[in-house]
């Protein structure tokens, strides 16, 4: 990166040493002082509430579609995808200033690997997200118990005609798309370099969720969020949902790790910085 890189839209050269943005320092791996801070617990509460609302609205939408005698009489598959993407857009917008708006253990894991959050905060977020997901789906079952049980409970399972390998691949790639978008949309360098292109971070993140759902609902029902998959599996409590549950943890965590590595060591050239 010793030479300037000319780009057709006039963005800043990657090789410039005069940064027009501030690079946040890496988060400490362990920060015991966080345990004494109210903002730490407030962020955990925000993640719990956001994931609870996310699962409540989205699973209720899924149940409405599955319970209808005709898909044409409901919002259909596209509506389900919009429900997931739209809720992520709204909830990330609401909670980004408090907790960062992760609402997904895979996102938290990717940001942990990139040193954006500490281990303590990551553990708090993942526990809060999983509990929020369970509560959200539990309320849906309480509202419509018979329809919930009869229509699959919104649980993620490998669809008939697809192998577990295919499902795992779909979850890896789908989560990569999501976490890659999260990194790109929240990159401080992008905010400064592309200031002439206004970006509202929750919007591309929500659209990424929407597009991934369109592609993978027929394969797995689309997980890409272990808290979403766990919440539905716990409340539905079906053998098939539990047998396939590992796919909706292993796939998203691998996808998040690949996205974190790609963004940090390829797009942001952290590998070159480490070697210099």
């Amino acid at each position: 990166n010793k030479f300037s890189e000319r780009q057709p839209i006039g963005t800043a050269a990657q090789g410039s040493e005069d940064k027009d943005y501030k690079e946040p320092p890496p988060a400490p791996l362990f920060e015991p002082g966080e345990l004494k801070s109210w903002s730490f617990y407030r962020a955990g509460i925000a993640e719990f509430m956001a994931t609870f609302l996310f699962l409540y609205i989205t699973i209720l939408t899924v149940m409405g579609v599955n319970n209808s005698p005709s898909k044409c009489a409901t919002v259909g598959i596209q509506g389900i995808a919009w429900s997931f993407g739209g809720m992520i857009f709204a909830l990330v917008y609401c909670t980004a200033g408090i907790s960062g708006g992760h609402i997904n253990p895979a996102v938290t894991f990717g940001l942990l690997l990139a040193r954006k959050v500490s281990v303590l905060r990551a553990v708090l977020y993942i526990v809060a997200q999983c509990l929020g997901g369970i509560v959200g789906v539990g309320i849906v079952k309480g509202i419509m118990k018979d329809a919930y049980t009869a229509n699959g409970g919104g649980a993620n399972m490998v669809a008939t005609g697809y192998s577990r390998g295919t499902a795992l691949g779909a979850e890896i790639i789908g989560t990569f798309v999501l976490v890659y978008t999260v990194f790109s949309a929240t990159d401080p360098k992008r905010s400064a370099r592309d200031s002439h292109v206004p970006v509202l971070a929750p919007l591309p993140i929500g659209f990424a969720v929407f597009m991934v759902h369109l592609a993978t609902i027929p394969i797995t029902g689309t997980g890409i969020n272990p808290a979403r998959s766990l919440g539905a599996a716990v409340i539905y409590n079906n053998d098939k949902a539990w047998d396939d549950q590992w796919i909706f943890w292993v796939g998203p965590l691998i996808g998040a790790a690949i996205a974190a590595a790609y963004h940090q060591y390829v797009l942001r050239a952290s590998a070159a910085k480490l070697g210099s």
Side-chain angles (χ1 to χ4, degrees):
N1 289 335
K2 294 181 180 179
F3 303 99
S4 62
E5 179 178 327
R6 297 176 181 270
Q7 300 187 27
I9 59 173
T11 55
Q14 292 181 1
S16 174
E17 296 298 325
D18 298 325
K19 294 181 178 180
D20 54 355
Y21 65 95
K22 184 178 180 180
E23 191 76 58
L29 283 178
F30 295 97
E31 184 56 60
E34 286 185 312
L35 297 174
K36 301 177 181 179
S37 170
W38 163 241
S39 63
F40 176 72
Y41 298 102
R42 181 180 63 187
I45 294 170
E47 285 294 309
F48 171 86
M49 285 300 297
T51 313
F52 153 64
L53 293 172
F54 175 59
L55 267 294
Y56 170 74
I57 294 296
T58 55
I59 298 302
L60 200 57
T61 302
V62 172
M63 291 300 96
V65 171
N66 290 347
N67 196 45
S68 175
S70 170
K71 294 295 187 289
C72 295
T74 67
V75 295
I77 296 297
Q78 293 85 353
I80 292 174
W82 272 119
S83 175
F84 279 89
M87 281 304 292
I88 285 296
F89 169 49
L91 293 169
V92 170
Y93 179 84
C94 292
T95 60
I98 301 172
S99 65
H102 297 192
I103 322 174
N104 185 335
V107 171
T108 299
F109 180 66
L111 293 174
L112 171 64
L113 294 180
R115 298 289 302 277
K116 305 294 184 183
V117 295
S118 68
V119 172
L120 286 176
R121 187 169 291 262
V123 171
L124 173 68
Y125 282 13
I126 291 173
V127 171
Q129 291 156 0
C130 290
L131 291 176
I134 293 170
V135 173
V137 181
I139 291 179
V140 173
K141 183 177 181 179
I143 292 173
M144 48 191 311
K145 183 175 181 180
D146 293 337
Y148 177 87
T149 304
N151 290 286
N156 290 123
M157 294 176 277
V158 180
T160 302
Y162 294 96
S163 68
R164 287 181 172 175
T166 299
L168 180 63
E171 288 294 308
I172 291 172
I173 297 172
T175 310
F176 173 87
V177 171
L178 169 59
V179 179
Y180 172 38
T181 304
V182 169
F183 274 103
S184 297
T186 59
D187 190 338
K189 184 174 183 179
R190 170 182 290 276
S191 299
R193 186 186 64 192
D194 298 338
S195 58
H196 60 290
V197 183
V199 175
L200 180 63
L203 185 59
I205 295 170
F207 262 104
V209 172
F210 167 65
M211 297 305 295
V212 171
H213 274 75
L214 286 182
T216 60
I217 282 177
I219 303 173
T220 61
T222 307
I224 68 171
N225 184 335
R228 175 260 187 271
S229 301
L230 179 66
V234 167
I235 301 301
Y236 185 50
N237 198 25
N238 174 273
D239 288 343
K240 172 64 172 172
W242 283 120
D243 289 344
D244 293 344
Q245 181 68 196
W246 67 271
I247 294 172
F248 303 103
W249 282 86
V250 174
L253 294 182
I254 291 176
I258 295 172
Y262 175 63
H263 184 269
Q264 293 296 101
Y265 295 102
V266 178
L267 299 187
R268 295 304 304 275
S270 294
K273 294 175 186 176
L274 289 174
S276 60

PDB file of all heavy atoms in Angstrom, residues 193-216:
ATOM      1  N   ARG A 193     -14.747   7.966   4.188  1.00  0.00           N
ATOM      2  CA  ARG A 193     -14.351   7.903   2.785  1.00  0.00           C
ATOM      3  C   ARG A 193     -15.517   8.125   1.841  1.00  0.00           C
ATOM      4  O   ARG A 193     -15.391   8.777   0.813  1.00  0.00           O
ATOM      5  CB  ARG A 193     -13.734   6.514   2.517  1.00  0.00           C
ATOM      6  CG  ARG A 193     -13.148   6.347   1.129  1.00  0.00           C
ATOM      7  CD  ARG A 193     -12.717   4.903   0.928  1.00  0.00           C
ATOM      8  NE  ARG A 193     -13.876   4.021   0.986  1.00  0.00           N
ATOM      9  CZ  ARG A 193     -13.789   2.683   1.072  1.00  0.00           C
ATOM     10  NH1 ARG A 193     -12.609   2.115   1.153  1.00  0.00           N
ATOM     11  NH2 ARG A 193     -14.873   1.951   1.096  1.00  0.00           N
ATOM     12  N   ASP A 194     -16.683   7.569   2.219  1.00  0.00           N
ATOM     13  CA  ASP A 194     -17.845   7.667   1.346  1.00  0.00           C
ATOM     14  C   ASP A 194     -18.901   8.596   1.943  1.00  0.00           C
ATOM     15  O   ASP A 194     -20.090   8.325   1.884  1.00  0.00           O
ATOM     16  CB  ASP A 194     -18.461   6.275   1.122  1.00  0.00           C
ATOM     17  CG  ASP A 194     -17.496   5.327   0.424  1.00  0.00           C
ATOM     18  OD1 ASP A 194     -16.562   5.823  -0.234  1.00  0.00           O
ATOM     19  OD2 ASP A 194     -17.674   4.116   0.538  1.00  0.00           O
ATOM     20  N   SER A 195     -18.448   9.697   2.526  1.00  0.00           N
ATOM     21  CA  SER A 195     -19.378  10.609   3.185  1.00  0.00           C
ATOM     22  C   SER A 195     -20.373  11.214   2.211  1.00  0.00           C
ATOM     23  O   SER A 195     -21.437  11.679   2.608  1.00  0.00           O
ATOM     24  CB  SER A 195     -18.609  11.738   3.886  1.00  0.00           C
ATOM     25  OG  SER A 195     -17.804  12.441   2.961  1.00  0.00           O
ATOM     26  N   HIS A 196     -20.040  11.188   0.903  1.00  0.00           N
ATOM     27  CA  HIS A 196     -20.974  11.720  -0.095  1.00  0.00           C
ATOM     28  C   HIS A 196     -22.085  10.720  -0.422  1.00  0.00           C
ATOM     29  O   HIS A 196     -23.011  11.033  -1.148  1.00  0.00           O
ATOM     30  CB  HIS A 196     -20.210  12.063  -1.376  1.00  0.00           C
ATOM     31  CG  HIS A 196     -19.524  10.877  -1.999  1.00  0.00           C
ATOM     32  ND1 HIS A 196     -18.426  10.277  -1.413  1.00  0.00           N
ATOM     33  CD2 HIS A 196     -19.785  10.167  -3.125  1.00  0.00           C
ATOM     34  CE1 HIS A 196     -18.023   9.267  -2.159  1.00  0.00           C
ATOM     35  NE2 HIS A 196     -18.837   9.171  -3.209  1.00  0.00           N
ATOM     36  N   VAL A 197     -21.971   9.497   0.133  1.00  0.00           N
ATOM     37  CA  VAL A 197     -23.007   8.482  -0.060  1.00  0.00           C
ATOM     38  C   VAL A 197     -23.590   8.160   1.322  1.00  0.00           C
ATOM     39  O   VAL A 197     -23.045   7.339   2.053  1.00  0.00           O
ATOM     40  CB  VAL A 197     -22.447   7.195  -0.695  1.00  0.00           C
ATOM     41  CG1 VAL A 197     -23.568   6.196  -0.941  1.00  0.00           C
ATOM     42  CG2 VAL A 197     -21.703   7.509  -1.979  1.00  0.00           C
ATOM     43  N   PRO A 198     -24.663   8.831   1.725  1.00  0.00           N
ATOM     44  CA  PRO A 198     -25.193   8.614   3.070  1.00  0.00           C
ATOM     45  C   PRO A 198     -25.634   7.168   3.277  1.00  0.00           C
ATOM     46  O   PRO A 198     -26.324   6.589   2.452  1.00  0.00           O
ATOM     47  CB  PRO A 198     -26.386   9.571   3.148  1.00  0.00           C
ATOM     48  CG  PRO A 198     -26.752   9.853   1.727  1.00  0.00           C
ATOM     49  CD  PRO A 198     -25.482   9.777   0.951  1.00  0.00           C
ATOM     50  N   VAL A 199     -25.198   6.574   4.380  1.00  0.00           N
ATOM     51  CA  VAL A 199     -25.526   5.185   4.684  1.00  0.00           C
ATOM     52  C   VAL A 199     -26.140   5.119   6.076  1.00  0.00           C
ATOM     53  O   VAL A 199     -25.525   5.539   7.050  1.00  0.00           O
ATOM     54  CB  VAL A 199     -24.275   4.280   4.620  1.00  0.00           C
ATOM     55  CG1 VAL A 199     -24.635   2.870   5.053  1.00  0.00           C
ATOM     56  CG2 VAL A 199     -23.693   4.273   3.226  1.00  0.00           C
ATOM     57  N   LEU A 200     -27.353   4.627   6.161  1.00  0.00           N
ATOM     58  CA  LEU A 200     -27.979   4.344   7.443  1.00  0.00           C
ATOM     59  C   LEU A 200     -27.722   2.870   7.725  1.00  0.00           C
ATOM     60  O   LEU A 200     -28.327   2.000   7.088  1.00  0.00           O
ATOM     61  CB  LEU A 200     -29.477   4.649   7.380  1.00  0.00           C
ATOM     62  CG  LEU A 200     -30.287   4.397   8.652  1.00  0.00           C
ATOM     63  CD1 LEU A 200     -29.802   5.308   9.781  1.00  0.00           C
ATOM     64  CD2 LEU A 200     -31.775   4.627   8.398  1.00  0.00           C
ATOM     65  N   ALA A 201     -26.819   2.591   8.639  1.00  0.00           N
ATOM     66  CA  ALA A 201     -26.343   1.229   8.843  1.00  0.00           C
ATOM     67  C   ALA A 201     -27.444   0.176   8.996  1.00  0.00           C
ATOM     68  O   ALA A 201     -27.334  -0.913   8.418  1.00  0.00           O
ATOM     69  CB  ALA A 201     -25.394   1.182  10.041  1.00  0.00           C
ATOM     70  N   PRO A 202     -28.515   0.427   9.759  1.00  0.00           N
ATOM     71  CA  PRO A 202     -29.530  -0.624   9.899  1.00  0.00           C
ATOM     72  C   PRO A 202     -30.209  -1.006   8.584  1.00  0.00           C
ATOM     73  O   PRO A 202     -30.714  -2.127   8.462  1.00  0.00           O
ATOM     74  CB  PRO A 202     -30.552   0.008  10.866  1.00  0.00           C
ATOM     75  CG  PRO A 202     -29.780   1.031  11.613  1.00  0.00           C
ATOM     76  CD  PRO A 202     -28.792   1.577  10.638  1.00  0.00           C
ATOM     77  N   LEU A 203     -30.236  -0.097   7.619  1.00  0.00           N
ATOM     78  CA  LEU A 203     -30.933  -0.384   6.363  1.00  0.00           C
ATOM     79  C   LEU A 203     -30.265  -1.491   5.559  1.00  0.00           C
ATOM     80  O   LEU A 203     -30.924  -2.487   5.209  1.00  0.00           O
ATOM     81  CB  LEU A 203     -31.062   0.890   5.535  1.00  0.00           C
ATOM     82  CG  LEU A 203     -31.869   0.787   4.242  1.00  0.00           C
ATOM     83  CD1 LEU A 203     -33.289   0.336   4.528  1.00  0.00           C
ATOM     84  CD2 LEU A 203     -31.885   2.129   3.512  1.00  0.00           C
ATOM     85  N   PRO A 204     -28.963  -1.417   5.245  1.00  0.00           N
ATOM     86  CA  PRO A 204     -28.346  -2.536   4.518  1.00  0.00           C
ATOM     87  C   PRO A 204     -28.329  -3.829   5.321  1.00  0.00           C
ATOM     88  O   PRO A 204     -28.413  -4.917   4.740  1.00  0.00           O
ATOM     89  CB  PRO A 204     -26.918  -2.038   4.226  1.00  0.00           C
ATOM     90  CG  PRO A 204     -26.688  -0.929   5.178  1.00  0.00           C
ATOM     91  CD  PRO A 204     -28.009  -0.291   5.416  1.00  0.00           C
ATOM     92  N   ILE A 205     -28.243  -3.729   6.643  1.00  0.00           N
ATOM     93  CA  ILE A 205     -28.272  -4.940   7.469  1.00  0.00           C
ATOM     94  C   ILE A 205     -29.628  -5.620   7.357  1.00  0.00           C
ATOM     95  O   ILE A 205     -29.732  -6.836   7.183  1.00  0.00           O
ATOM     96  CB  ILE A 205     -27.936  -4.598   8.938  1.00  0.00           C
ATOM     97  CG1 ILE A 205     -26.494  -4.087   9.039  1.00  0.00           C
ATOM     98  CG2 ILE A 205     -28.127  -5.821   9.831  1.00  0.00           C
ATOM     99  CD1 ILE A 205     -26.136  -3.507  10.395  1.00  0.00           C
ATOM    100  N   GLY A 206     -30.693  -4.827   7.448  1.00  0.00           N
ATOM    101  CA  GLY A 206     -32.038  -5.386   7.293  1.00  0.00           C
ATOM    102  C   GLY A 206     -32.263  -5.982   5.918  1.00  0.00           C
ATOM    103  O   GLY A 206     -32.864  -7.051   5.784  1.00  0.00           O
ATOM    104  N   PHE A 207     -31.749  -5.307   4.871  1.00  0.00           N
ATOM    105  CA  PHE A 207     -31.900  -5.835   3.520  1.00  0.00           C
ATOM    106  C   PHE A 207     -31.112  -7.126   3.343  1.00  0.00           C
ATOM    107  O   PHE A 207     -31.547  -8.030   2.616  1.00  0.00           O
ATOM    108  CB  PHE A 207     -31.450  -4.799   2.485  1.00  0.00           C
ATOM    109  CG  PHE A 207     -32.594  -4.029   1.898  1.00  0.00           C
ATOM    110  CD1 PHE A 207     -32.848  -2.722   2.288  1.00  0.00           C
ATOM    111  CD2 PHE A 207     -33.432  -4.609   0.959  1.00  0.00           C
ATOM    112  CE1 PHE A 207     -33.915  -2.012   1.755  1.00  0.00           C
ATOM    113  CE2 PHE A 207     -34.495  -3.915   0.409  1.00  0.00           C
ATOM    114  CZ  PHE A 207     -34.743  -2.607   0.811  1.00  0.00           C
ATOM    115  N   ALA A 208     -29.961  -7.238   3.982  1.00  0.00           N
ATOM    116  CA  ALA A 208     -29.188  -8.478   3.895  1.00  0.00           C
ATOM    117  C   ALA A 208     -29.982  -9.635   4.490  1.00  0.00           C
ATOM    118  O   ALA A 208     -30.045 -10.729   3.903  1.00  0.00           O
ATOM    119  CB  ALA A 208     -27.856  -8.322   4.636  1.00  0.00           C
ATOM    120  N   VAL A 209     -30.622  -9.399   5.640  1.00  0.00           N
ATOM    121  CA  VAL A 209     -31.452 -10.435   6.260  1.00  0.00           C
ATOM    122  C   VAL A 209     -32.608 -10.804   5.336  1.00  0.00           C
ATOM    123  O   VAL A 209     -32.939 -11.985   5.158  1.00  0.00           O
ATOM    124  CB  VAL A 209     -31.976  -9.948   7.631  1.00  0.00           C
ATOM    125  CG1 VAL A 209     -33.001 -10.930   8.195  1.00  0.00           C
ATOM    126  CG2 VAL A 209     -30.813  -9.779   8.604  1.00  0.00           C
ATOM    127  N   PHE A 210     -33.239  -9.811   4.757  1.00  0.00           N
ATOM    128  CA  PHE A 210     -34.360 -10.038   3.838  1.00  0.00           C
ATOM    129  C   PHE A 210     -33.944 -10.899   2.645  1.00  0.00           C
ATOM    130  O   PHE A 210     -34.598 -11.899   2.316  1.00  0.00           O
ATOM    131  CB  PHE A 210     -34.894  -8.686   3.356  1.00  0.00           C
ATOM    132  CG  PHE A 210     -35.840  -8.769   2.192  1.00  0.00           C
ATOM    133  CD1 PHE A 210     -37.073  -9.396   2.313  1.00  0.00           C
ATOM    134  CD2 PHE A 210     -35.498  -8.216   0.961  1.00  0.00           C
ATOM    135  CE1 PHE A 210     -37.953  -9.467   1.237  1.00  0.00           C
ATOM    136  CE2 PHE A 210     -36.365  -8.278  -0.117  1.00  0.00           C
ATOM    137  CZ  PHE A 210     -37.592  -8.906   0.022  1.00  0.00           C
ATOM    138  N   MET A 211     -32.853 -10.552   2.007  1.00  0.00           N
ATOM    139  CA  MET A 211     -32.414 -11.271   0.813  1.00  0.00           C
ATOM    140  C   MET A 211     -31.995 -12.716   1.135  1.00  0.00           C
ATOM    141  O   MET A 211     -32.290 -13.639   0.379  1.00  0.00           O
ATOM    142  CB  MET A 211     -31.255 -10.535   0.146  1.00  0.00           C
ATOM    143  CG  MET A 211     -31.615  -9.144  -0.361  1.00  0.00           C
ATOM    144  SD  MET A 211     -33.025  -9.126  -1.496  1.00  0.00           S
ATOM    145  CE  MET A 211     -32.357 -10.039  -2.874  1.00  0.00           C
ATOM    146  N   VAL A 212     -31.310 -12.893   2.273  1.00  0.00           N
ATOM    147  CA  VAL A 212     -30.903 -14.252   2.653  1.00  0.00           C
ATOM    148  C   VAL A 212     -32.130 -15.117   2.918  1.00  0.00           C
ATOM    149  O   VAL A 212     -32.170 -16.300   2.550  1.00  0.00           O
ATOM    150  CB  VAL A 212     -29.973 -14.221   3.878  1.00  0.00           C
ATOM    151  CG1 VAL A 212     -29.732 -15.628   4.410  1.00  0.00           C
ATOM    152  CG2 VAL A 212     -28.647 -13.564   3.524  1.00  0.00           C
ATOM    153  N   HIS A 213     -33.152 -14.545   3.531  1.00  0.00           N
ATOM    154  CA  HIS A 213     -34.382 -15.308   3.779  1.00  0.00           C
ATOM    155  C   HIS A 213     -35.058 -15.715   2.466  1.00  0.00           C
ATOM    156  O   HIS A 213     -35.548 -16.842   2.343  1.00  0.00           O
ATOM    157  CB  HIS A 213     -35.347 -14.503   4.647  1.00  0.00           C
ATOM    158  CG  HIS A 213     -35.096 -14.656   6.116  1.00  0.00           C
ATOM    159  ND1 HIS A 213     -34.042 -14.032   6.749  1.00  0.00           N
ATOM    160  CD2 HIS A 213     -35.737 -15.381   7.072  1.00  0.00           C
ATOM    161  CE1 HIS A 213     -34.056 -14.361   8.035  1.00  0.00           C
ATOM    162  NE2 HIS A 213     -35.072 -15.183   8.250  1.00  0.00           N
ATOM    163  N   LEU A 214     -35.088 -14.830   1.511  1.00  0.00           N
ATOM    164  CA  LEU A 214     -35.669 -15.194   0.217  1.00  0.00           C
ATOM    165  C   LEU A 214     -34.966 -16.404  -0.385  1.00  0.00           C
ATOM    166  O   LEU A 214     -35.597 -17.278  -0.982  1.00  0.00           O
ATOM    167  CB  LEU A 214     -35.588 -14.021  -0.754  1.00  0.00           C
ATOM    168  CG  LEU A 214     -36.544 -12.836  -0.541  1.00  0.00           C
ATOM    169  CD1 LEU A 214     -36.320 -11.802  -1.643  1.00  0.00           C
ATOM    170  CD2 LEU A 214     -37.999 -13.286  -0.533  1.00  0.00           C
ATOM    171  N   ALA A 215     -33.654 -16.460  -0.210  1.00  0.00           N
ATOM    172  CA  ALA A 215     -32.867 -17.529  -0.827  1.00  0.00           C
ATOM    173  C   ALA A 215     -32.949 -18.844  -0.075  1.00  0.00           C
ATOM    174  O   ALA A 215     -32.962 -19.917  -0.697  1.00  0.00           O
ATOM    175  CB  ALA A 215     -31.404 -17.081  -0.942  1.00  0.00           C
ATOM    176  N   THR A 216     -32.994 -18.793   1.261  1.00  0.00           N
ATOM    177  CA  THR A 216     -32.807 -20.036   2.026  1.00  0.00           C
ATOM    178  C   THR A 216     -34.013 -20.506   2.832  1.00  0.00           C
ATOM    179  O   THR A 216     -33.937 -21.561   3.473  1.00  0.00           O
ATOM    180  CB  THR A 216     -31.595 -19.898   2.973  1.00  0.00           C
ATOM    181  OG1 THR A 216     -31.830 -18.803   3.885  1.00  0.00           O
ATOM    182  CG2 THR A 216     -30.325 -19.632   2.189  1.00  0.00           C
TER     183      THR A 216
END
